Amino acid sequence: MRTKNRAQRTLLTGVALLLAGLFFFPTYWMINSSLRPSNANLTTEYDLFPTSITFDNFVTAVTRPGFTNFLTNSLIVAVGAMLCAVAAGILAAIPLCRLRFRGRRGFVLLVLIAQLAPLEALLIPMYLLMRDVGLLNMLPALLLVNVATTLPFTIWTLRGFVNGIPVDLEEAAMVDGCSRWGAFRRVTLPLLGPALVSTSVFSFITAWNEFLFALVLMRDQSNQTLPVWLSTFSTVFGTDWGGTMAASVVFALPVLIYFLIVQRNLVAGNTAGAVKG
Amino acid sequence: MTATVDTTVPAGATPPAPSADGPGRRARRRPLGDALLPYLLIAPAIIALLALLGWPAIQVILISFRKLDLGELVRGEIVWNGFDNYAEILGDPEFWVITLRTMLFTAACVVGTVGVGLLIALLMRQIGPVVRLVLQISLVLAWAMPILAATTVFQWIFDQNFGILNKTLVLIGFDSFQGFSWFSTGASTLTVIALLIIWQGVPFIAFTLYAGLLSVPGDLYEAAGIDGASGWQGFRAVTWPALAPMVGLATFQSILWDFKVFTQVWAIRQGGPDGESTTLSVLQYIKGISGSHFGVAAAVAVLMILVLTVLVGQYMRLLIRRQEGAL
């Protein structure tokens, strides 16, 4: 439907730009505030644009006691959960698509229900379970929880991808003398590369974002992750908004950059893997 | 989480035949190994799912019928108390206030997210490619921002004395916002949290619906145009029927996400001031983790699941059945 009317088109363009500004503003404001001298954030003056740029806030943020420790914890948990979830996910996706076995439908149903279940409601039993097996306050507990939260999604997504690769290709390879596994490894697995990358990244981001279980299972200060640390910024940074924003930028930047790199695919409607809390 | 259209894949050329009629000499199959292979492959996933989701799911129901406070936990006692936990919660007027608050809050977030998302999706079709790209990049940035980073930024924007929002409002003539505290009442705190959730939730919905719009064949519009349909009639006759199922799905997903939201609510004001922004998931945390009333907290969790089931159970059944059909 082409809008023939020029005035209408200009109006819609204006609305679009206004919305773009609204959605962009918080990101801009985070970066802008992080680059200002700290006292410039605490003035009553009105300035939307940076006048002088400094990296002092970043020095303040990363030299806070514990920062490197929390960053390491976050990385261990997110990378570990990502590797486990994607490995278990691809192992499960292969037989679901390529083999017939008893209980297959039931398993798929379990995965589907797990994806829709509100995991937050399992907080109490999860806490007691980790306490009973002696993992409370230990990073592996958090890693396992994050595997549980991302695994249904990775299985489901990878299953979709494997299904999208025609089985004929494998059959042709088998006619040419490959074994069943050889055909899968030489034909299908290489085609799955992009799928593995995207599910990996989404598992990583989900775990990177996770807050509730980190808050509950890591009662010990030294085992906290970045999100939990950031949530206490008012005690960590006081009214140092520059420092708070710099810490937020450090936390957000890897994810923001990744999204900008792949934004073409996201916009193309390949929205598999919504990351949301 | 797009529903991928699955076609049933025929098993490979050499299906593992459990009833192999006599092992041929050339194809030396190991029927047992072949039969076990799929189970070996799904074992890690199934163990993880059952241990970390299935077991806690059963436990949450069982614990909700037990008296389990710190004392029982330390002593390792199992004390069944029937429906006492439920009676305690349902008899507490505060619980009903929190439930109603959670529902209203969820409704506001969902209507805001889906409404704005739908408008942006429709808008994206009407604007030039450059403006569209600018809009899309700003949406991607909002979507990508980790929740906790977004939460701190919103607290800074809404800051009482130095926040840019109050400064802007004063600048354009609303002097009463000088030093206005956005976090002094539960209602305005929840408003800020809802704005934060909508801001983060819209991009995904907008992109999903936009992708749906792109799949509406253009010749349908041409046909509608030839038949003399106005823009609105074209929307009613062509766009909406194609979009309606996707809007339904987006609404369903938003309800699932927003009803149980904890991170943003807790990180902004821990459910305060005076518990006025406490939602059901925060109540579960306060009862169970802060108060060590694990049995009561489990009952809150079960009630949460029940409310959610009432809200979206029908839709969930439909979704599962449709996916099942595609197995």
Side-chain angles (χ1 to χ4, degrees), chain B residues 155-156 158-163 166 177-183:
Chain B
Q155 284 179 273
W156 169 216
F158 285 85
D159 182 68
Q160 185 171 358
N161 298 314
F162 305 109
N166 281 354
F177 282 97
Q178 179 85 50
F180 177 79
S181 169
W182 289 91
F183 302 105

Side-chain angles (χ1 to χ4, degrees), chain A residues 197-275:
Chain A
V197 171
S198 69
T199 41
S200 301
V201 170
F202 277 115
S203 324
F204 176 88
I205 292 173
T206 307
W208 187 249
N209 253 317
E210 207 289 317
F211 175 78
L212 172 61
F213 286 97
L215 180 74
V216 169
L217 297 175
M218 303 289 132
R219 300 312 261 173
D220 223 1
Q221 178 80 27
S222 63
N223 286 330
Q224 271 175 5
T225 54
L226 280 179
V228 178
W229 177 69
L230 261 182
S231 74
T232 60
F233 71 87
S234 50
T235 47
V236 178
F237 290 99
T239 53
D240 177 10
W241 284 106
T244 306
M245 288 303 108
S248 304
V249 169
V250 170
F251 177 59
L253 214 52
V255 186
L256 290 178
I257 288 170
Y258 169 78
F259 264 80
L260 278 181
I261 293 170
V262 300
Q263 62 104 10
R264 278 188 154 282
N265 310 355
L266 295 175
V267 172
N270 180 13
T271 40
V275 180

Side-chain angles (χ1 to χ4, degrees), chain A residues 1 3 9 12-13 15-17 19-20 22-27 29-30 33 41-48 88 91-92 94-95 97-105 107-131 144 147-148 151-153 155-156 159-160 163 167 171 174 180 208-209 211-212 215-216 219 227 230-231 233 241 244-245 248 251-252 255-256 259-260 263 266-269 271-277, chain B residues 1-2 4 6-16 37-39 41-42 44-46 48-53 55-57 59-60 63 68 73-74 116 120 123 125-128 131 133-149 152-157 159 162 164 167-168 171 197-199 201-204 207-208 210-211 221 231 235 239 252 256-258 260 262-263 266-267 284-285 288-289 294 297-298 301 305 308 316 319-320 323-324 326-327:
Chain A
M1 260 192 302
T3 319
R9 208 181 167 102
L12 289 175
T13 303
V15 172
L17 288 173
L19 282 164
L22 279 176
F23 275 92
F24 176 63
F25 185 77
T27 312
W29 200 239
M30 174 177 81
S33 307
N41 284 318
L42 298 178
T43 63
T44 45
E45 299 206 354
Y46 194 85
D47 43 358
L48 277 177
L91 284 178
I94 295 163
C97 300
R98 293 289 194 255
L99 303 170
R100 286 270 168 274
F101 58 95
R102 200 183 283 269
R104 182 171 152 273
R105 285 180 69 113
F107 179 66
V108 173
L109 213 57
L110 175 76
V111 173
L112 193 62
I113 290 169
Q115 236 192 356
L116 297 173
L119 298 176
E120 289 80 353
L122 303 181
L123 178 69
I124 301 300
M126 197 75 95
Y127 172 79
L128 297 175
L129 173 72
M130 292 303 173
R131 183 181 169 276
L144 285 171
V147 170
L151 186 58
F153 165 76
I155 296 174
W156 196 252
R159 173 180 167 269
N163 264 340
V167 76
E171 282 169 3
M174 278 153 77
R180 190 186 186 113
W208 187 249
N209 253 317
F211 175 78
L212 172 61
L215 180 74
V216 169
R219 300 312 261 173
L230 261 182
S231 74
F233 71 87
W241 284 106
T244 306
M245 288 303 108
S248 304
F251 177 59
V255 186
L256 290 178
F259 264 80
L260 278 181
Q263 62 104 10
L266 295 175
V267 172
T271 40
V275 180
K276 243 194 105 158
Chain B
M1 272 181 255
T2 42
T4 41
D6 303 317
T7 46
T8 335
V9 178
T14 49
L37 179 68
Y39 298 108
L41 290 175
I42 64 169
I46 205 126
L49 288 177
L50 291 179
L52 293 163
L53 299 177
W55 173 249
Q59 278 293 307
V60 77
I63 294 169
L68 183 56
L73 186 70
V74 172
V116 176
I120 289 182
L123 184 67
R125 289 197 54 159
Q126 307 280 354
I127 51 183
V131 182
L133 186 67
V134 169
L135 178 57
Q136 285 176 341
I137 287 179
S138 64
L139 287 172
V140 165
L141 283 171
W143 182 10
M145 174 96 71
I147 300 167
L148 243 302
T152 58
V153 178
F154 268 64
Q155 284 179 273
W156 169 216
I157 289 173
D159 182 68
F162 305 109
I164 192 70
K167 282 188 191 177
T168 308
L171 190 77
I197 287 171
I198 291 168
W199 176 76
V202 159
F204 171 69
F207 287 137
T208 308
Y210 178 62
Y221 290 109
F235 177 80
T239 312
F252 162 76
L256 271 189
W257 280 324
D258 297 344
K260 62 185 188 184
F262 173 86
T263 305
W266 184 258
Q284 178 196 210
Y285 178 91
I289 304 301
F294 303 105
I305 298 171
L308 206 50
M316 217 180 255
L319 202 70
I320 290 173
Q323 294 282 10
E324 251 201 314
L327 289 185

Side-chain angles (χ1 to χ4, degrees), chain A residues 127-164:
Chain A
Y127 172 79
L128 297 175
L129 173 72
M130 292 303 173
R131 183 181 169 276
D132 290 343
V133 296
L135 282 179
L136 207 57
N137 239 329
M138 293 167 85
L139 288 178
L142 209 47
L143 197 150
L144 285 171
V145 168
N146 280 306
V147 170
T149 48
T150 56
L151 186 58
F153 165 76
T154 54
I155 296 174
W156 196 252
T157 313
L158 288 168
R159 173 180 167 269
F161 277 113
V162 177
N163 264 340

Side-chain angles (χ1 to χ4, degrees), chain B residues 181-259:
Chain B
S181 169
W182 289 91
F183 302 105
S184 60
T185 68
S188 66
T189 304
L190 283 173
T191 306
V192 175
I193 298 169
L195 285 173
L196 166 64
I197 287 171
I198 291 168
W199 176 76
Q200 289 217 278
V202 159
F204 171 69
I205 304 286
F207 287 137
T208 308
L209 294 179
Y210 178 62
L213 275 174
L214 289 182
S215 65
V216 179
D219 45 16
L220 282 179
Y221 290 109
E222 273 172 43
I226 290 167
D227 292 343
S230 66
W232 171 243
Q233 284 171 318
F235 177 80
R236 280 277 309 274
V238 179
T239 312
W240 184 245
L243 263 190
M246 303 192 84
V247 172
L249 189 65
T251 308
F252 162 76
Q253 282 199 327
S254 300
I255 293 175
L256 271 189
W257 280 324
D258 297 344
F259 181 78

